[in-house]
Amino acid sequence: MRDESAVVNGLRSYGWWVAAGARFRLSSAPGVRISVAELEPAGAARLASDFAAVLGESEATYGG
């Protein structure tokens, strides 16, 4: 992803709380951290759908 902040904010608008990856990486590309250990299968499907939508919005808006 090009702009992890846009993805984080986009997922928050869908009701998900995720973290930008900046503080967790040393030299990798931008990303987000999502913990799904206690997420039920229905929630995982919704998260995947919402994540895909946000990635599409992020690329269209911030694709540079």
Side-chain angles (χ1 to χ4, degrees):
M1 67 189 58
R2 294 177 191 235
D3 186 344
E4 66 189 29
S5 296
V7 173
V8 168
N9 290 330
L11 285 171
R12 287 181 182 166
S13 73
Y14 282 94
W16 299 104
W17 191 258
V18 302
R23 69 181 208 189
F24 300 103
R25 70 172 175 267
L26 298 175
S27 62
S28 62
V32 295
R33 287 183 62 98
I34 303 173
S35 295
V36 296
E38 296 185 23
L39 191 60
E40 297 292 329
R46 188 173 72 88
L47 173 59
S49 176
D50 293 347
F51 192 41
V54 167
L55 284 175
E57 293 167 5
S58 170
E59 292 299 312
T61 303
Y62 299 99

